[in-house]
Amino acid sequence: MKIINPATGQIIRDIPESTNASIQQNFLLLKEGQKTWRKIPLSIRLESIRKFSVSLEENKEELAGI
């Protein structure tokens, strides 16, 4: 899949498209990760999500450029 800058038409990045097999593999990995995540106390999970949110906000300009 080509990621194109709409302002210039320039290709920013070319990334492989997902296949049914890769989607299934990613789903299984996520299911396994969820088993670990649910064992973490809620307060720690919420703090992790809050830190991620802050990081997104602090880096939104750089991320938007990507």
Side-chain angles (χ1 to χ4, degrees):
M1 172 182 349
K2 294 185 185 332
I3 308 300
I4 300 171
N5 180 332
T8 66
Q10 183 178 20
I11 296 174
I12 299 170
R13 183 169 288 154
D14 195 1
I15 57 174
E17 292 187 30
S18 296
T19 63
N20 286 340
S22 68
I23 291 169
Q24 182 66 26
Q25 180 182 6
N26 289 337
F27 177 73
L28 293 174
L29 288 170
L30 289 169
K31 280 179 66 174
E32 285 302 310
Q34 198 281 328
K35 291 176 185 177
T36 301
W37 181 248
R38 73 176 172 211
K39 293 177 185 175
I40 297 171
L42 179 59
S43 61
I44 294 173
R45 288 186 278 162
L46 289 171
E47 181 62 17
S48 296
I49 293 168
R50 188 197 65 74
K51 286 180 180 180
F52 180 70
S53 175
V54 168
S55 181
L56 285 176
E57 184 63 32
E58 289 174 348
N59 297 288
K60 66 183 174 186
E61 292 300 321
E62 179 183 353
L63 293 169
I66 297 170

